[in-house]
């Protein structure tokens, strides 16, 4: 066993003494030692209940003959960090999650790991760590939140953000907003739509690193506890068979994840995270692969914010296994890929079917014959930009308009609430990329206010920053190279015409090559705003969005 180097032999008597100081007896020390990584905290509703998940995991480990040893890591709530400087720390937290797990798992040589994330960056951070460390490991998340109920309809957190714009537009009063605020998030779990956390949790199934049901079983359900217990049992099988993350996360698994991503209409943030996970697993993945998979994959689901259904509805309709079975019937899923269940994908989804075609459409009747995410390129984004195509109104799939340029989210938001942004405009928000923004923060408050003001079918948004999975509308992010690195987005001026064509994957500034070259030659990047602390270190080493915004060492 890997843990033997810490506990076996004469020289390890001091080590055993320390383990006994924690209350362990010889019978426990002699078992395989399983690290249980718990990102529980009291501030994030997605993480609030993870102690209960951890206890279920540990019960499963003990049932199967292992010894669970729990340790913690951080977990940021993106909703609470949204709209202020705290959002700068969200994406950088992903790297700290991965690094902290690496440190704990290498300093204390566990025989296996069970990873318990739930929210936006804790899921990819843990997946990056498991691929990097490459000892037997499996994921079980805390599960999605129930949708709220307001005015006889299902609502989620994104509706509250959009309601702020409705109040500003005079379409809702503050008392109604207060009522929605009380009802939209009824309890613990990751926010109830197909936002980033639930996107990534669903993709753990498609990647094969979690058991079926992990992405959709509700946080408050007994089914979630059962998945956690089975996960605890399963890690012992993975340890016995020495099945490691890189045996599972290979090119086939990445393609399966991208295919499910496109079918579900997941968050644009999955692009950043899948790139980063693939890198840790040693899998070569380029942005162009996203469009290749999208071109062949039907979009089968329109979950909030793209539609009115939520994760609980997806679960009731058959969940991720039903989606994968439908895709497999079209030859779009690699069925013989290995998974952490110990079975192949094909074995996991055998007999699974769609039970509510109004929620998961048949491949013969998709919302679109193409997937939910598109990568755009052109002279404004030579290295690529990302849009959630499935959440864009038909009227905005092709749009040409004048640029309104802002050098921060705050300046753009002030212009928006002062009604300086008009129909037809293309709002450009720059210096919010990984380096320039110090963390590439999400802009849900801005995009939700646009929707609340009724401008989501008339105004486009372009940024080197990124968006929450709860964003809808013509919101194009991850523009690369970013402004701080001298990308063309840095030289856009008010009134310049921007031509976006999502249908044909194009994003261009309507200027001559000569004019663009002259402006770029004259460009001088501003000095970094970050002088101390973690962000100062982060911006010095972070890569571009088109490579996953990973830290380069």
């Amino acid at each position: 066993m890997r843990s033997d180097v810490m506990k076996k032999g004469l020289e390890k008597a001091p080590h055993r003494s320390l383990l006994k100081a924690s209350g362990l007896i010889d019978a426990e020390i002699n078992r395989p030692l399983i690290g249980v990584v718990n990102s529980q905290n009291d501030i994030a509703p997605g993480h609030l209940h993870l102690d209960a998940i951890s206890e279920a995991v540990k019960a499963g480990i003990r049932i199967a003959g292992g010894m669970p040893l729990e340790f913690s890591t951080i977990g940021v709530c993106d909703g609470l960090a949204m709209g202020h400087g705290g959002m700068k720390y969200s994406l950088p937290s992903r790297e700290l999650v991965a690094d902290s797990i690496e440190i704990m798992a290498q300093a204390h040589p566990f025989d296996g790991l069970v990873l318990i994330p739930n929210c936006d960056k804790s899921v990819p951070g843990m997946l990056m760590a498991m691929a990097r460390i490459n000892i037997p490991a499996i994921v079980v998340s805390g599960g999605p939140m129930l949708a709220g109920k307001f005015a006889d309809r299902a609502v989620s957190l994104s509706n509250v953000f959009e309601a702020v714009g409705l109040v500003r537009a005079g379409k809702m009063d503050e008392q109604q907003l207060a009522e929605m605020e009380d009802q939209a998030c009824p309890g613990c779990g990751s926010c109830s739509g197909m936002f980033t956390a639930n996107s990534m949790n669903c993709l753990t199934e498609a990647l094969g690193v979690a058991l079926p049901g992990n992405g959709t079983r509700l946080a408050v359900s007994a089914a979630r506890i059962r998945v956690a217990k089975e996960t605890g049992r399963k890690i012992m099988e993975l340890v016995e068979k020495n099945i490691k993350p890189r045996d599972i996360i290979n090119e086939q698994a990445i393609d399966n994840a991208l295919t499910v991503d496109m079918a579900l209409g997941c968050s644009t943030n999955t692009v950043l995270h899948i790139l980063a996970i693939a890198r840790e697993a040693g899998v070569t993945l380029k942005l162009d692969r996203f469009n290749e998979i999208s071109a062949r994959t039907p979009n089968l689901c329109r979950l909030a914010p793209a539609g009115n259904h939520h994760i609980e509805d997806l679960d009731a309709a058959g969940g991720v296994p039903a989606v994968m079975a439908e895709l497999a019937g079209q030859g779009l899923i690699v069925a013989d890929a290995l998974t952490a269940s110990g079975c192949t994908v094909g074995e996991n989804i055998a007999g699974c079917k769609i039970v509510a075609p109004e929620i998961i459409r048949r491949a013969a009747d998709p919302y679109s014959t193409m997937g939910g995410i598109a990568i755009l390129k052109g002279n404004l984004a030579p290295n690529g930009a990302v849009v959630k195509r499935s959440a864009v109104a038909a009227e905005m799939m092709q749009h040409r308009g004048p640029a309104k340029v802002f050098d921060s989210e705050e300046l753009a938001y002030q212009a928006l609430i002062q009604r300086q942004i008009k129909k037809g405009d293309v709002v450009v928000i720059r210096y919010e990329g990984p380096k320039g923004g110090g963390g590439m923060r999400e802009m849900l408050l801005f995009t939700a206010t646009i929707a609340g003001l009724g401008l989501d079918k008339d105004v486009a948004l372009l940024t080197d920053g990124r968006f929450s999975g709860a964003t809808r509308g013509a919101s194009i992010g991850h523009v690369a190279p970013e402004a701080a690195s001298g990308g063309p987005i840095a030289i856009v001026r008010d009134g310049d015409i921007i031509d976006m064509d999502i249908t044909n994957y194009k994003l261009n500034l309507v200027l001559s090559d000569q004019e663009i070259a002259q402006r770029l030659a004259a460009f001088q990047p501003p000095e970094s705003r970050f002088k101390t602390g973690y962000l100062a270190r982060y911006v010095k080493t972070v890569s571009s969005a088109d490579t996953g915004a990973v830290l380069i060492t």
Side-chain angles (χ1 to χ4, degrees):
M1 291 187 290
R2 185 173 183 262
S3 61
D4 284 352
V5 300
M6 182 175 66
K7 66 186 186 183
K8 292 288 186 180
L10 178 67
E11 290 79 8
K12 297 304 185 292
H15 303 67
R16 293 191 295 273
S17 182
L18 287 170
L19 291 171
K20 290 177 179 179
S22 297
L24 274 65
I25 63 175
D26 286 330
E28 292 173 312
I29 294 171
N30 291 332
R31 291 179 173 190
L33 303 184
I34 307 300
V36 178
V37 190
N38 188 356
S39 58
Q40 192 277 338
N41 61 57
D42 288 348
I43 187 146
H47 292 238
L48 183 67
H49 64 303
L50 295 188
D51 279 352
I53 304 300
S54 176
E55 288 304 313
V57 166
K58 289 190 283 187
I61 292 170
R62 291 190 181 100
I63 288 169
M67 181 60 211
L69 296 168
E70 183 177 341
F71 64 91
S72 62
T73 188
I74 61 172
V76 169
C77 176
D78 278 30
L80 291 171
M82 196 74 65
H84 58 86
M87 179 47 72
K88 293 180 181 292
Y89 289 86
S90 172
L91 183 59
S93 77
R94 184 188 72 178
E95 316 308 313
L96 285 179
V97 168
D99 291 350
S100 67
I101 295 169
E102 177 192 358
I103 288 170
M104 288 295 289
Q106 300 291 31
H108 317 99
F110 297 106
D111 299 299
L113 294 173
V114 178
L115 304 122
I116 310 175
N118 212 29
C119 289
D120 293 31
K121 307 308 171 300
S122 63
V123 185
M126 290 193 183
L127 293 175
M128 290 166 66
M130 70 189 298
R132 182 188 304 173
I133 301 164
N134 201 35
I135 63 173
I138 189 170
V139 175
V140 58
S141 77
M145 184 186 293
L146 281 162
K149 298 293 186 290
F150 174 76
D152 297 323
R153 65 188 177 99
V155 294
S156 67
L157 180 67
S158 65
N159 297 103
V160 186
F161 274 98
E162 291 186 9
V164 173
L166 292 172
V167 171
R168 290 193 179 278
K171 300 174 183 178
M172 175 184 277
D173 61 41
E174 291 192 30
Q175 179 58 38
Q176 290 173 307
L177 175 60
E179 291 174 8
M180 181 184 285
E181 173 187 320
D182 287 344
Q183 301 299 323
C185 299
C188 64
S190 47
C191 296
S192 59
M194 189 54 79
F195 312 149
T196 304
N198 288 326
S199 294
M200 289 306 303
N201 281 325
C202 286
L203 294 187
T204 62
E205 292 189 50
L207 273 173
V209 295
L211 296 183
N214 181 63
T216 59
R217 298 288 188 266
L218 286 167
V220 295
S221 69
R224 172 58 54 180
I225 298 298
R226 293 196 296 271
V227 170
K229 285 184 180 177
E230 288 293 344
T231 300
R233 291 180 65 241
K234 190 59 64 175
I235 185 59
M236 298 309 298
E237 181 182 327
L238 295 175
V239 169
E240 181 182 357
K241 295 179 178 178
N242 198 31
I243 297 174
K244 300 176 182 178
R246 292 191 191 180
D247 298 325
I248 296 170
I249 306 174
N250 52 29
E251 188 173 325
Q252 293 177 330
I254 294 292
D255 275 0
N256 281 346
L258 294 181
T259 301
V260 172
D261 190 337
M262 298 304 168
L264 289 175
C266 290
S267 164
T268 53
N269 285 313
T270 61
V271 176
L272 281 176
H273 300 324
I274 294 174
L275 285 166
I277 293 160
R279 180 176 181 270
E280 294 285 3
V283 177
T284 300
L285 178 63
K286 302 294 185 183
L287 270 181
D288 290 343
R289 187 61 177 159
F290 288 79
N291 279 348
E292 291 169 6
I293 297 289
S294 181
R296 74 185 194 196
T297 306
N299 179 219
L300 305 181
C301 298
R302 290 284 167 95
L303 303 169
N308 297 320
H309 297 130
H310 295 79
I311 302 298
E312 63 194 72
D313 302 309
L314 176 62
D315 188 58
V320 176
V323 173
M324 294 185 74
E326 184 69 11
L327 295 168
Q330 305 300 307
L332 299 174
I333 292 291
V334 182
D336 60 359
L338 180 64
T339 75
S341 72
C343 302
T344 65
V345 168
E347 291 168 331
N348 284 345
I349 64 177
C352 295
K353 59 183 180 179
I354 297 168
V355 296
E358 70 276 14
I359 297 167
I360 305 172
R361 288 197 173 184
R362 309 286 183 190
D365 181 35
Y367 284 101
S368 168
T369 57
M370 295 183 291
I373 290 176
I375 307 299
L376 313 184
K377 289 189 176 182
N379 63 18
L380 194 45
N383 293 353
V386 184
V387 64
K388 188 172 183 175
R389 173 170 47 197
S390 59
V392 178
E395 301 94 312
M396 295 298 289
M397 293 296 286
Q398 295 175 312
H399 180 78
R400 177 182 283 221
K404 286 280 186 71
V405 183
F406 304 94
D407 285 351
S408 72
E409 179 187 7
E410 288 84 358
L411 292 173
Y413 188 72
Q414 286 303 311
L416 178 64
I417 63 176
Q418 293 168 11
R419 308 298 176 88
Q420 296 173 15
I421 293 170
K422 307 299 182 184
K423 290 184 177 182
D425 285 345
V426 178
V427 178
V428 176
I429 304 178
R430 62 193 179 193
Y431 298 108
E432 293 289 3
K435 289 183 180 295
M440 201 181 182
R441 57 182 168 168
E442 293 178 354
M443 302 181 190
L444 179 57
L445 181 61
F446 186 89
T447 59
T449 302
I450 282 181
L453 291 170
L455 295 173
D456 56 300
K457 295 181 180 179
D458 301 289
V459 170
L461 174 59
L462 182 68
T463 181
D464 53 9
R466 62 191 180 92
F467 302 109
S468 164
T471 290
R472 62 185 176 94
S475 301
I476 301 169
H478 308 199
V479 172
E482 63 176 290
S485 296
I489 191 173
I491 53 93
V492 180
R493 298 172 183 169
D494 282 339
D496 286 346
I497 300 300
I498 292 175
D499 186 13
M500 47 172 273
D501 185 348
I502 297 171
T503 302
N504 294 300
Y505 308 102
K506 299 295 184 184
L507 182 62
N508 285 298
L509 186 59
V510 184
L511 291 175
S512 68
D513 293 344
Q514 181 181 8
E515 175 66 17
I516 292 173
Q518 288 175 347
R519 292 190 190 183
L520 286 172
F523 171 73
Q524 291 293 326
E527 186 178 353
S528 174
R529 294 171 283 171
F530 307 103
K531 305 298 184 184
T532 61
Y534 180 52
L535 290 183
R537 299 195 300 274
Y538 180 84
V539 300
K540 290 179 181 178
T541 56
V542 69
S543 72
S544 178
D546 61 291
T547 58
V550 297
L551 299 187
I552 304 298
T553 56

